[in-house]
Amino acid sequence: SFSAVATSRAQVQQEPSAETTEGTGISISCSHPNIKTTDFILWYRQLPERGPTLITFSHKGSKALSDPPGRLSVAADRRSSALWLARPRRGDAAVYYCAVGD
């Protein structure tokens, strides 16, 4: 499971919380300093009273998101990534998780 990978080997770190107002873009960052060459970076979100769902994943570079609108950017050294939510709505309020796995 990705959660076990994230906690034991990859040591993924995220800020505890981030806030924005409706329609104002926000960047959520994630640090994964021990990422392996073969690992993918995955981002999930968990809406209130729902299970987590995968919203995007990437190996490197930058990738556009359609739902929610935004972008996933992976640092050149792949040791960090950031999820940009371009036009957050009230319904996008959720817990956003990053994980790494192959």
XYZ file of all heavy atoms in Angstrom:
777
model
N 0.837 -1.199 0.000
C 0.000 0.000 0.000
C 0.874 1.252 0.000
O 1.965 1.254 0.576
C -0.920 0.017 1.216
O -0.273 0.566 2.317
N 0.400 2.287 -0.636
C 1.184 3.525 -0.735
C 1.369 4.193 0.618
O 2.374 4.819 0.854
C 0.532 4.494 -1.712
C 0.737 4.098 -3.140
C -0.329 3.850 -3.976
C 2.016 3.955 -3.648
C -0.128 3.474 -5.288
C 2.224 3.573 -4.957
C 1.151 3.334 -5.779
N 0.413 4.045 1.516
C 0.536 4.716 2.807
C 1.724 4.173 3.589
O 2.468 4.921 4.203
C -0.754 4.576 3.620
O -1.076 3.210 3.795
N 1.925 2.856 3.525
C 3.064 2.259 4.230
C 4.381 2.746 3.614
O 5.316 3.076 4.324
C 2.986 0.742 4.172
N 4.415 2.801 2.295
C 5.591 3.310 1.595
C 5.890 4.741 2.017
O 7.018 5.094 2.342
C 5.378 3.251 0.060
C 6.484 4.001 -0.665
C 5.339 1.806 -0.412
N 4.842 5.540 2.070
C 5.021 6.962 2.359
C 5.596 7.184 3.750
O 6.443 8.037 3.941
C 3.692 7.698 2.214
N 5.140 6.404 4.710
C 5.595 6.654 6.077
C 6.953 6.023 6.353
O 7.809 6.634 6.964
C 4.568 6.113 7.104
O 4.284 4.752 6.776
C 3.304 6.924 7.093
N 7.186 4.794 5.883
C 8.396 4.097 6.297
C 9.612 4.466 5.455
O 10.631 4.871 5.985
C 8.173 2.580 6.243
O 7.862 2.180 4.924
N 9.504 4.354 4.136
C 10.684 4.528 3.306
C 10.847 5.954 2.793
O 11.924 6.527 2.837
C 10.628 3.573 2.103
C 11.766 3.798 1.127
C 11.917 2.673 0.152
N 10.787 2.499 -0.735
C 10.514 3.281 -1.766
N 11.247 4.358 -2.013
N 9.483 3.034 -2.544
N 9.760 6.521 2.296
C 9.890 7.780 1.567
C 9.932 8.999 2.483
O 10.489 10.010 2.122
C 8.737 7.925 0.585
N 9.322 8.881 3.658
C 9.290 10.000 4.602
C 8.749 11.271 3.945
O 9.406 12.299 3.876
C 10.682 10.232 5.197
C 11.161 9.037 6.011
C 12.668 8.988 6.201
O 13.370 9.882 5.771
N 13.136 7.940 6.825
N 7.558 11.138 3.435
C 6.871 12.263 2.811
C 6.487 13.274 3.885
O 6.004 12.901 4.945
C 5.620 11.757 2.065
C 4.720 12.911 1.678
C 6.029 10.952 0.849
N 6.712 14.546 3.593
C 6.360 15.598 4.543
C 5.480 16.647 3.868
O 5.766 17.065 2.748
C 7.617 16.270 5.089
C 8.459 15.339 5.936
C 9.743 16.002 6.389
O 10.501 16.521 5.586
N 9.981 15.983 7.685
N 4.432 17.047 4.573
C 3.538 18.101 4.091
C 3.259 19.070 5.218
O 3.332 18.703 6.389
C 2.198 17.500 3.633
C 2.292 16.602 2.417
C 0.934 16.027 2.060
O 0.622 14.907 2.393
N 0.117 16.829 1.401
N 2.907 20.298 4.851
C 2.490 21.240 5.891
C 1.149 20.785 6.447
O 0.356 20.157 5.738
C 2.396 22.667 5.346
C 1.332 22.889 4.302
C 1.857 22.789 2.884
O 2.770 21.993 2.630
O 1.325 23.503 2.016
N 0.889 21.055 7.737
C -0.342 20.525 8.341
C -1.632 21.102 7.749
O -2.639 20.417 7.699
C -0.209 20.894 9.822
C 0.874 21.905 9.909
C 1.750 21.715 8.723
N -1.605 22.365 7.320
C -2.830 22.931 6.750
C -2.505 24.130 5.874
O -1.423 24.720 5.965
C -3.800 23.355 7.855
O -3.265 24.437 8.577
N -3.440 24.460 5.007
C -3.307 25.632 4.139
C -4.706 26.167 3.881
O -5.656 25.391 3.778
C -2.619 25.251 2.830
N -4.819 27.470 3.795
C -6.133 28.088 3.590
C -6.089 29.065 2.430
O -5.062 29.685 2.153
C -6.569 28.854 4.845
C -7.018 27.968 5.985
C -7.567 28.785 7.150
O -8.011 29.924 6.920
O -7.543 28.272 8.272
N -7.224 29.210 1.781
C -7.379 30.232 0.754
C -8.837 30.655 0.727
O -9.669 30.054 1.405
C -6.934 29.707 -0.627
O -6.949 30.789 -1.558
C -7.835 28.588 -1.127
N -9.124 31.683 -0.043
C -10.517 32.072 -0.242
C -10.982 31.513 -1.576
O -10.170 31.212 -2.455
C -10.675 33.603 -0.231
O -9.763 34.164 -1.182
C -10.375 34.164 1.146
N -12.286 31.394 -1.724
C -12.852 30.809 -2.931
C -12.376 31.577 -4.169
O -12.428 32.807 -4.201
C -14.376 30.835 -2.837
C -15.061 29.868 -3.763
C -16.527 29.666 -3.407
O -17.081 30.499 -2.661
O -17.098 28.689 -3.883
N -11.858 30.846 -5.170
C -11.404 31.459 -6.409
C -9.966 31.919 -6.406
O -9.434 32.288 -7.444
N -9.316 31.918 -5.238
C -7.914 32.329 -5.152
C -7.031 31.086 -5.147
O -7.153 30.231 -4.265
C -7.656 33.137 -3.854
O -8.512 34.283 -3.868
C -6.202 33.578 -3.765
N -6.148 30.992 -6.144
C -5.309 29.814 -6.301
C -4.442 29.545 -5.081
O -4.055 30.455 -4.350
N -4.149 28.263 -4.869
C -3.334 27.870 -3.721
C -2.395 26.739 -4.127
O -2.759 25.881 -4.942
C -4.230 27.441 -2.530
C -3.390 27.208 -1.271
C -5.079 26.233 -2.881
C -4.212 26.979 -0.019
N -1.200 26.778 -3.571
C -0.212 25.737 -3.827
C -0.013 24.913 -2.565
O 0.191 25.468 -1.480
C 1.114 26.373 -4.256
O 2.056 25.370 -4.566
N -0.093 23.596 -2.706
C 0.123 22.667 -1.590
C 1.396 21.894 -1.901
O 1.499 21.254 -2.948
C -1.070 21.699 -1.443
C -2.383 22.473 -1.334
C -0.872 20.794 -0.241
C -3.611 21.590 -1.471
N 2.366 21.985 -1.000
C 3.660 21.389 -1.307
C 3.895 20.097 -0.546
O 3.274 19.832 0.487
C 4.777 22.386 -1.008
O 4.741 22.753 0.345
N 4.807 19.299 -1.062
C 5.140 18.015 -0.469
C 6.633 17.773 -0.667
O 7.170 18.027 -1.748
C 4.334 16.913 -1.158
S 4.697 15.265 -0.539
N 7.280 17.308 0.385
C 8.708 16.992 0.334
C 8.885 15.479 0.399
O 8.271 14.818 1.232
C 9.408 17.667 1.514
O 10.752 17.256 1.596
N 9.694 14.943 -0.521
C 9.977 13.502 -0.529
C 11.453 13.297 -0.879
O 11.795 12.875 -1.979
C 9.050 12.762 -1.502
C 8.526 13.603 -2.633
N 9.250 13.876 -3.778
C 7.353 14.247 -2.773
C 8.534 14.643 -4.575
N 7.377 14.885 -3.984
N 12.325 13.619 0.099
C 13.770 13.666 -0.172
C 14.397 12.317 -0.511
O 15.441 12.276 -1.153
C 14.363 14.229 1.125
C 13.336 13.983 2.168
C 12.012 14.047 1.469
N 13.769 11.221 -0.101
C 14.380 9.911 -0.326
C 13.767 9.161 -1.498
O 13.870 7.942 -1.593
C 14.244 9.049 0.937
C 14.924 9.696 2.132
O 15.902 10.410 1.977
N 14.396 9.453 3.318
N 13.153 9.888 -2.416
C 12.466 9.260 -3.543
C 13.445 8.479 -4.420
O 14.579 8.901 -4.628
C 11.695 10.324 -4.356
C 10.740 9.667 -5.342
C 12.660 11.297 -5.047
C 9.707 10.613 -5.916
N 12.991 7.323 -4.892
C 13.814 6.487 -5.766
C 13.552 6.843 -7.228
O 12.502 7.394 -7.568
C 13.511 5.008 -5.531
C 14.024 4.483 -4.204
C 13.811 2.980 -4.121
C 14.412 2.416 -2.843
N 14.111 0.971 -2.711
N 14.482 6.474 -8.077
C 14.382 6.788 -9.512
C 13.093 6.252 -10.126
O 12.481 6.896 -10.979
C 15.582 6.179 -10.255
O 16.782 6.563 -9.578
C 15.650 6.668 -11.694
N 12.670 5.079 -9.688
C 11.493 4.429 -10.286
C 10.180 4.899 -9.681
O 9.111 4.563 -10.194
C 11.601 2.905 -10.102
O 11.839 2.632 -8.710
C 12.745 2.340 -10.934
N 10.241 5.654 -8.585
C 9.008 6.043 -7.882
C 8.207 7.093 -8.644
O 8.767 8.011 -9.244
C 9.336 6.624 -6.506
C 9.691 5.562 -5.477
O 9.329 4.389 -5.690
O 10.330 5.911 -4.472
N 6.900 6.945 -8.571
C 5.976 7.979 -9.013
C 5.528 8.792 -7.804
O 5.564 8.306 -6.674
C 4.752 7.361 -9.697
C 4.989 6.982 -11.122
C 5.632 5.788 -11.431
C 4.592 7.815 -12.157
C 5.865 5.441 -12.752
C 4.819 7.467 -13.478
C 5.460 6.278 -13.776
N 5.105 10.028 -8.067
C 4.545 10.894 -7.031
C 3.038 10.924 -7.258
O 2.573 11.210 -8.365
C 5.148 12.305 -7.124
C 6.654 12.234 -6.876
C 4.477 13.251 -6.128
C 7.447 13.292 -7.610
N 2.292 10.597 -6.223
C 0.840 10.505 -6.322
C 0.200 11.501 -5.369
O 0.693 11.713 -4.257
C 0.367 9.089 -5.963
C 1.025 7.962 -6.768
C 2.133 7.318 -5.942
C -0.004 6.923 -7.174
N -0.868 12.115 -5.813
C -1.632 13.029 -4.959
C -3.066 12.527 -4.859
O -3.707 12.226 -5.872
C -1.603 14.442 -5.518
C -0.339 15.180 -5.194
C 0.856 15.089 -5.843
C -0.143 16.117 -4.131
N 1.781 15.911 -5.248
C 1.191 16.558 -4.198
C -0.976 16.629 -3.129
C 1.721 17.484 -3.301
C -0.458 17.559 -2.239
C 0.879 17.977 -2.325
N -3.539 12.448 -3.630
C -4.903 12.030 -3.326
C -5.625 13.179 -2.639
O -4.984 14.043 -2.040
C -4.895 10.848 -2.346
C -4.269 9.585 -2.864
C -2.892 9.387 -2.799
C -5.053 8.564 -3.391
C -2.313 8.215 -3.264
C -4.488 7.382 -3.855
C -3.116 7.217 -3.785
O -2.552 6.059 -4.243
N -6.934 13.136 -2.706
C -7.683 14.019 -1.820
C -8.820 13.251 -1.186
O -9.377 12.329 -1.781
C -8.180 15.271 -2.538
C -9.404 15.120 -3.357
C -9.913 16.509 -3.714
N -10.921 16.445 -4.747
C -11.502 17.509 -5.273
N -11.157 18.718 -4.890
N -12.427 17.385 -6.200
N -9.119 13.643 0.035
C -10.184 13.010 0.794
C -11.189 14.078 1.186
O -10.916 14.927 2.036
C -9.618 12.314 2.028
C -10.665 11.527 2.784
C -10.061 10.622 3.834
O -8.873 10.695 4.145
N -10.885 9.748 4.398
N -12.351 14.040 0.535
C -13.434 14.967 0.853
C -14.081 14.543 2.158
O -13.964 13.374 2.567
C -14.459 14.977 -0.285
C -13.938 15.516 -1.620
C -14.883 15.171 -2.750
C -13.717 17.024 -1.544
N -14.734 15.452 2.846
C -15.353 15.110 4.129
C -16.259 13.880 4.030
O -17.059 13.777 3.091
C -16.168 16.365 4.477
C -15.457 17.471 3.770
C -14.917 16.869 2.500
N -16.048 12.955 4.938
C -16.868 11.740 5.036
C -16.778 10.858 3.795
O -17.706 10.099 3.484
C -18.333 12.095 5.356
C -18.484 12.814 6.687
C -19.892 13.321 6.936
O -20.852 12.657 6.503
O -20.012 14.406 7.550
N -15.660 10.944 3.092
C -15.431 10.088 1.920
C -14.055 9.437 2.053
O -13.225 9.892 2.832
C -15.452 10.926 0.634
C -16.724 11.718 0.420
C -17.860 10.830 -0.073
N -17.628 10.357 -1.427
C -17.913 11.053 -2.527
N -18.417 12.277 -2.430
N -17.689 10.543 -3.720
N -13.816 8.419 1.248
C -12.491 7.810 1.210
C -11.576 8.622 0.303
O -12.045 9.416 -0.510
N -10.263 8.423 0.427
C -9.330 9.141 -0.442
C -9.468 8.688 -1.897
O -9.714 7.507 -2.161
C -7.944 8.754 0.098
C -8.169 7.986 1.351
C -9.589 7.544 1.377
N -9.331 9.631 -2.827
C -9.324 9.289 -4.252
C -8.078 9.885 -4.895
O -7.636 10.984 -4.537
C -10.575 9.831 -4.980
O -10.639 11.252 -4.782
C -11.843 9.192 -4.445
N -7.503 9.153 -5.832
C -6.326 9.614 -6.553
C -6.739 10.722 -7.517
O -7.653 10.535 -8.327
C -5.706 8.448 -7.331
C -4.461 8.755 -8.154
C -3.276 9.097 -7.264
C -4.108 7.574 -9.053
N -6.097 11.882 -7.431
C -6.445 12.956 -8.363
C -5.401 13.124 -9.463
O -5.743 13.539 -10.565
C -6.724 14.300 -7.652
C -5.602 14.702 -6.713
C -8.047 14.258 -6.932
C -5.752 16.102 -6.126
N -4.139 12.786 -9.191
C -3.129 12.877 -10.240
C -1.863 12.180 -9.788
O -1.666 11.935 -8.594
C -2.816 14.348 -10.603
O -1.972 14.375 -11.760
C -2.128 15.069 -9.457
N -1.021 11.833 -10.754
C 0.293 11.292 -10.426
C 1.256 11.677 -11.538
O 0.832 11.990 -12.658
C 0.249 9.766 -10.256
C -0.119 9.019 -11.500
C 0.857 8.554 -12.363
C -1.447 8.783 -11.799
C 0.515 7.861 -13.518
C -1.803 8.093 -12.947
C -0.815 7.626 -13.813
N 2.532 11.685 -11.230
C 3.529 12.076 -12.213
C 4.884 11.516 -11.824
O 5.120 11.186 -10.660
C 3.604 13.598 -12.321
O 4.488 13.977 -13.360
N 5.761 11.426 -12.799
C 7.135 10.995 -12.537
C 8.068 12.198 -12.499
O 8.967 12.273 -11.668
C 7.593 9.991 -13.592
C 8.907 9.357 -13.285
N 10.091 9.778 -13.838
C 9.225 8.342 -12.446
C 11.089 9.055 -13.362
N 10.592 8.165 -12.516
N 7.845 13.135 -13.415
C 8.687 14.337 -13.445
C 7.959 15.437 -14.211
O 6.937 15.203 -14.845
C 10.029 14.043 -14.115
C 9.930 13.589 -15.558
C 11.303 13.259 -16.130
C 11.193 12.775 -17.565
N 12.509 12.430 -18.131
N 8.511 16.636 -14.124
C 7.983 17.751 -14.897
C 6.696 18.318 -14.331
O 6.466 18.289 -13.124
N 5.860 18.798 -15.232
C 4.644 19.500 -14.861
C 3.473 18.883 -15.617
O 3.615 18.468 -16.764
C 4.800 20.982 -15.216
O 3.639 21.684 -14.891
N 2.336 18.814 -14.953
C 1.182 18.132 -15.542
C -0.087 18.892 -15.182
O -0.312 19.226 -14.020
C 1.136 16.710 -14.982
C 0.054 15.812 -15.536
C 0.204 14.427 -14.914
C -0.868 13.478 -15.411
N -0.690 12.124 -14.831
N -0.905 19.192 -16.188
C -2.155 19.924 -15.943
C -3.196 19.001 -15.315
O -3.229 17.804 -15.583
C -2.688 20.492 -17.245
N -4.041 19.598 -14.467
C -5.155 18.883 -13.832
C -6.459 19.454 -14.347
O -6.590 20.670 -14.480
C -5.133 19.134 -12.317
C -4.552 18.101 -11.384
C -3.053 18.135 -11.462
C -5.010 18.398 -9.973
N -7.428 18.566 -14.586
C -8.736 19.050 -15.022
C -9.736 19.079 -13.866
O -10.576 19.960 -13.791
C -9.264 18.190 -16.165
O -9.295 16.827 -15.775
N -9.651 18.110 -12.959
C -10.611 18.049 -11.854
C -9.896 17.634 -10.573
O -9.590 16.456 -10.401
C -11.718 17.043 -12.176
C -12.778 16.987 -11.087
O -12.944 17.992 -10.370
O -13.428 15.929 -10.945
N -9.625 18.580 -9.686
C -9.917 20.018 -9.783
C -8.938 20.707 -10.728
O -7.825 20.203 -10.921
C -9.710 20.499 -8.340
C -8.679 19.566 -7.781
C -8.945 18.240 -8.421
N -9.309 21.853 -11.328
C -8.432 22.552 -12.252
C -7.147 23.000 -11.556
O -7.196 23.554 -10.450
C -9.243 23.769 -12.699
C -10.652 23.471 -12.338
C -10.603 22.557 -11.164
N -6.028 22.747 -12.188
C -4.761 23.140 -11.592
C -3.593 22.461 -12.260
O -3.648 22.144 -13.444
N -2.552 22.199 -11.477
C -1.324 21.654 -12.036
C -0.528 20.947 -10.955
O -0.495 21.383 -9.810
C -0.497 22.815 -12.626
C 0.806 22.421 -13.277
C 1.378 23.560 -14.107
N 0.540 23.848 -15.270
C 0.590 23.162 -16.401
N 1.417 22.163 -16.541
N -0.201 23.483 -17.391
N 0.100 19.849 -11.348
C 1.074 19.190 -10.485
C 2.457 19.488 -11.041
O 2.712 19.239 -12.219
C 0.839 17.677 -10.449
C 1.924 16.838 -9.764
C 2.094 17.227 -8.303
C 1.619 15.350 -9.878
N 3.325 20.039 -10.205
C 4.695 20.348 -10.615
C 5.669 19.555 -9.758
O 5.572 19.568 -8.523
C 4.983 21.838 -10.453
O 4.080 22.592 -11.225
N 6.598 18.876 -10.421
C 7.627 18.114 -9.732
C 8.949 18.847 -9.902
O 9.304 19.245 -11.016
C 7.724 16.683 -10.301
C 8.826 15.895 -9.598
C 6.380 15.962 -10.185
N 9.668 19.030 -8.809
C 10.963 19.720 -8.869
C 11.934 18.943 -9.762
O 11.808 17.722 -9.934
C 11.545 19.856 -7.464
N 12.905 19.653 -10.317
C 13.876 19.042 -11.224
C 14.612 17.872 -10.561
O 14.888 16.864 -11.207
C 14.863 20.083 -11.724
N 14.906 18.002 -9.272
C 15.608 16.914 -8.568
C 14.632 15.876 -7.990
O 15.065 14.913 -7.355
C 16.513 17.464 -7.461
C 15.747 18.180 -6.350
O 14.490 18.163 -6.360
O 16.402 18.754 -5.463
N 13.324 16.091 -8.218
C 12.250 15.173 -7.816
C 12.122 15.008 -6.309
O 11.378 14.158 -5.826
C 12.422 13.787 -8.481
C 12.438 13.862 -9.973
C 12.065 12.604 -10.715
N 12.302 11.374 -10.000
C 11.320 10.533 -9.634
N 10.074 10.787 -9.922
N 11.610 9.422 -8.992
N 12.796 15.849 -5.542
C 12.742 15.725 -4.085
C 11.554 16.459 -3.472
O 11.334 16.379 -2.266
C 14.063 16.216 -3.473
C 15.223 15.272 -3.782
C 16.575 15.949 -3.613
N 16.767 16.482 -2.269
C 17.318 15.810 -1.262
N 17.715 14.562 -1.430
N 17.480 16.378 -0.085
N 10.815 17.184 -4.289
C 9.604 17.844 -3.810
C 8.616 17.988 -4.964
O 8.991 17.872 -6.139
C 9.918 19.214 -3.202
O 10.427 20.078 -4.180
N 7.377 18.239 -4.600
C 6.344 18.466 -5.608
C 5.334 19.447 -5.032
O 5.294 19.681 -3.823
C 5.653 17.154 -6.002
O 5.032 16.544 -4.894
N 4.540 20.027 -5.920
C 3.529 20.992 -5.483
C 2.269 20.808 -6.311
O 2.327 20.644 -7.536
C 4.051 22.419 -5.619
N 1.150 20.818 -5.628
C -0.152 20.743 -6.274
C -0.752 22.146 -6.259
O -0.952 22.730 -5.195
C -1.053 19.772 -5.503
C -2.409 19.468 -6.130
C -2.248 18.583 -7.355
C -3.320 18.794 -5.109
N -0.981 22.696 -7.447
C -1.556 24.033 -7.585
C -3.029 23.891 -7.927
O -3.382 23.263 -8.936
C -0.815 24.802 -8.677
C -1.479 26.058 -9.139
C -2.116 26.254 -10.331
C -1.556 27.312 -8.433
N -2.602 27.546 -10.400
C -2.270 28.212 -9.257
C -1.096 27.744 -7.188
C -2.531 29.524 -8.864
C -1.359 29.051 -6.807
C -2.064 29.927 -7.640
N -3.893 24.437 -7.076
C -5.326 24.472 -7.356
C -5.654 25.868 -7.864
O -5.531 26.849 -7.131
C -6.127 24.144 -6.094
C -5.790 22.808 -5.422
C -6.647 22.609 -4.177
C -5.960 21.645 -6.380
N -6.035 25.956 -9.124
C -6.132 27.250 -9.793
C -7.329 28.082 -9.324
O -7.198 29.276 -9.069
C -6.201 27.045 -11.308
N -8.491 27.427 -9.224
C -9.712 28.150 -8.861
C -10.481 27.348 -7.820
O -11.532 26.782 -8.121
C -10.584 28.356 -10.110
C -9.918 29.205 -11.193
C -10.828 29.389 -12.400
N -11.186 28.122 -13.037
C -10.391 27.471 -13.888
N -9.184 27.944 -14.171
N -10.785 26.349 -14.445
N -9.961 27.282 -6.606
C -10.617 26.434 -5.608
C -12.030 26.912 -5.294
O -12.288 28.113 -5.223
C -9.723 26.532 -4.376
C -8.617 27.442 -4.708
C -8.807 27.988 -6.069
N -12.918 25.960 -5.172
C -14.288 26.236 -4.757
C -14.483 25.658 -3.359
O -13.671 24.862 -2.872
C -15.287 25.584 -5.732
C -15.166 26.105 -7.156
C -16.331 25.598 -8.003
N -16.496 24.159 -7.911
C -15.916 23.281 -8.733
N -15.107 23.698 -9.683
N -16.133 21.985 -8.592
N -15.577 26.030 -2.745
C -15.886 25.518 -1.409
C -15.860 23.984 -1.392
O -15.392 23.360 -0.445
C -17.269 26.033 -0.988
C -17.564 25.891 0.486
C -18.855 26.600 0.828
N -18.747 28.054 0.710
C -18.324 28.851 1.681
N -17.951 28.342 2.830
N -18.259 30.142 1.496
N -16.331 23.397 -2.480
C -16.377 21.932 -2.570
C -15.019 21.268 -2.695
O -14.935 20.037 -2.644
N -13.956 22.060 -2.886
C -12.607 21.496 -2.953
C -11.939 21.429 -1.582
O -10.800 20.954 -1.473
C -11.728 22.329 -3.896
C -12.186 22.224 -5.344
O -12.516 21.097 -5.774
O -12.204 23.252 -6.042
N -12.623 21.906 -0.548
C -12.084 21.814 0.812
C -11.979 20.336 1.165
O -12.976 19.602 1.130
C -12.992 22.544 1.793
N -10.757 19.888 1.475
C -10.515 18.465 1.669
C -9.130 18.285 2.271
O -8.377 19.252 2.404
C -10.590 17.729 0.326
N -8.812 17.051 2.618
C -7.443 16.707 2.993
C -6.748 16.228 1.729
O -7.233 15.347 1.026
C -7.421 15.611 4.071
C -5.989 15.243 4.422
C -8.168 16.063 5.318
N -5.606 16.852 1.426
C -4.820 16.480 0.243
C -3.559 15.760 0.711
O -2.807 16.279 1.529
C -4.455 17.735 -0.556
C -5.649 18.356 -1.247
C -6.530 19.173 -0.538
C -5.926 18.084 -2.574
C -7.643 19.731 -1.156
C -7.035 18.649 -3.210
C -7.889 19.444 -2.489
O -8.994 19.972 -3.104
N -3.362 14.557 0.188
C -2.221 13.744 0.569
C -1.287 13.551 -0.617
O -1.755 13.367 -1.742
C -2.658 12.325 0.946
C -3.604 12.179 2.101
C -4.971 12.053 1.888
C -3.126 12.111 3.404
C -5.846 11.878 2.951
C -3.989 11.939 4.463
C -5.351 11.821 4.242
O -6.212 11.647 5.282
N -0.005 13.560 -0.358
C 0.920 13.083 -1.386
C 1.534 11.780 -0.922
O 1.609 11.490 0.290
C 1.996 14.112 -1.712
S 3.259 14.265 -0.476
N 1.945 10.967 -1.880
C 2.586 9.687 -1.589
C 3.559 9.394 -2.720
O 3.461 9.976 -3.802
C 1.528 8.584 -1.498
N 4.499 8.494 -2.464
C 5.352 8.023 -3.552
C 5.308 6.497 -3.572
O 5.144 5.846 -2.540
C 6.812 8.519 -3.431
C 6.875 10.032 -3.449
C 7.492 7.958 -2.211
N 5.415 5.944 -4.765
C 5.403 4.490 -4.915
C 5.703 4.114 -6.340
O 5.602 4.946 -7.250
N 6.062 2.867 -6.556
C 6.398 2.438 -7.929
C 5.331 1.510 -8.496
O 4.351 1.192 -7.864
C 7.774 1.772 -7.971
C 7.965 0.741 -6.874
O 6.942 0.262 -6.318
O 9.120 0.423 -6.562
